[in-house]
Structure formats: C-alpha cells, structure tokens
Amino acid sequence: MSRLYLIRHGKPAATWGGPDDDPGLDETGRVQAEAARDFLLALPPEERPRLVVSSPLARCRETAEPTAEALGIAVEIDPGVGEIPTPAALAAESRGEWLRQAFQGAWAEIEGDLDYDAWRQQVAQALQGRGDTAVFSHFVAINAVISVLTGEDRVVSFRPDHTSITILETDGKTLTLIEKGREASTGVL
C-alpha cells in the first residue's frame, strides 16, 4: 500500500459562485499552500509524495505549485479530481444557492445534468491508482471520496478546512481512509 494525500486548496481570493469563476489564492491561501508543502516535505522519505496532481482550477493549481516546485516536478492536471459540475443551464449567480441546497441532502438527490452519485464514485476511482501522490482538490470532491470510503450518502459528512490533508492508502485498485484532515469551524458558503 502506498500513501495518497488528498488536500483541499488554500483560501481563494473569491468565493465559489461569485463573480470570478476561477479565483486564485489570496495571501492567506498562499501561506497555507506553503504550510501544506512544508508538512508534506517533513514526512519520512518513504511517505513523501513523488507526484503532484491538481484539479484544473486556479485555486488548486496555485496550492499545488509550492509542493511540486520543492519536489522538482511538474503539476499534473486531472479534471477527475475537479470541482462538482454545476448544471449547464444554471446562472452563475444561482450557483451558491444550488450548492447550499445540495449540501442539505444525499448525493442521489442533487438536481442537475448528471448522476451525482455516479460522479462521486468517479472521483474516488480517479484516485485509486495514484499512490505516492499529493492530490489538490475541492471541498465537495473530497466529501465525495470520503463518502464512498465510509458508505455515507450525505453530500457533506466532513468539512475539510483550507489545505486540510486527508491521508489515504491505495494498492492501485482500492482506497483506504487512514486519517481525515483538519475540519473547518465555519461553513463553506
């Protein structure tokens, strides 16, 4: 079994569903990204990630960059660990309310263009073959993985804080939850 670190992005410069569809990190987020790097590099050599994977969105890429630079590697972009897809017909100003509504229920109850229960399974599958990897992702995607591993069908069963590091193990075919990362004391929206 090899380690996989599932890391929520640092604090973004704007909230999800706001005027900027793809905000980068604010100053606090940049400091958080450096702290995540420092944590990962302080691990025993056999537990350190050798690969860095990120969601395509700026807040994840910017959180991943310090770790990748310290390891001397490029960040691999993987849409499979990206943000939850919003319905195509949903106006940008309605995204926050749609997400708040989704947070109240189960994966199979989310209204939209796709089967969100199947989407959460796909996010977990995207991680199965990624041992020795630091994966920088999102609040909802991390909840998707945790819900698959724990059998929980609620959308939000865990509130990972910015740069919270959840530790998983994989044998290339299965994932095992070792330790949930630090939880946020406030809500996402």
Side-chain angles (χ1 to χ4, degrees):
M1 297 287 264
S2 58
R3 290 283 165 113
L4 185 147
Y5 302 93
L6 186 54
I7 305 144
R8 183 177 176 210
H9 60 77
K11 186 172 180 271
T15 60
W16 196 75
D20 185 350
D21 282 347
D22 191 14
L25 299 178
D26 69 7
E27 185 55 37
T28 299
R30 286 187 282 282
V31 170
Q32 291 169 332
E34 292 170 358
R37 171 204 60 207
D38 294 346
F39 172 85
L40 293 168
L41 292 179
L43 292 167
E46 66 276 6
E47 293 181 16
R48 279 186 211 138
R50 291 183 289 129
L51 302 170
V52 176
V53 172
S54 175
S55 157
L57 297 181
R59 56 194 176 272
C60 287
R61 292 191 327 267
E62 290 178 16
T63 307
E65 286 170 2
T67 300
E69 287 175 11
L71 293 172
I73 59 174
V75 175
E76 177 187 338
I77 303 303
D78 183 355
V81 298
E83 187 62 90
I84 185 171
T86 57
L90 194 66
E93 60 272 7
S94 299
R95 287 182 185 168
E97 182 54 36
W98 174 80
L99 188 58
R100 278 189 283 280
Q101 192 71 17
F103 281 2
Q104 303 304 312
W107 289 98
E109 298 169 347
I110 299 175
E111 294 183 20
D113 301 340
L114 55 99
D115 178 342
Y116 289 96
D117 194 41
W119 176 80
R120 76 177 174 134
Q121 299 289 337
Q122 291 168 354
V123 176
Q125 289 171 357
L127 299 178
Q128 288 176 347
R130 293 199 172 277
D132 301 323
T133 306
V135 178
F136 294 83
S137 190
H138 303 272
F139 181 95
V140 181
I142 293 168
N143 265 279
V145 173
I146 297 300
S147 72
V148 168
L149 298 180
T150 62
E152 174 65 58
D153 65 351
R154 289 182 300 141
V155 173
V156 177
S157 61
F158 171 53
R159 295 190 174 275
D161 203 357
H162 290 113
T163 61
S164 169
I165 300 174
T166 293
I167 303 171
L168 308 172
E169 283 188 345
T170 183
D171 61 4
K173 296 179 183 176
T174 60
L175 289 174
T176 304
L177 175 62
I178 301 302
E179 180 181 336
K180 289 181 184 176
R182 180 184 71 254
E183 289 203 61
S185 58
T186 60
V188 174
L189 295 173

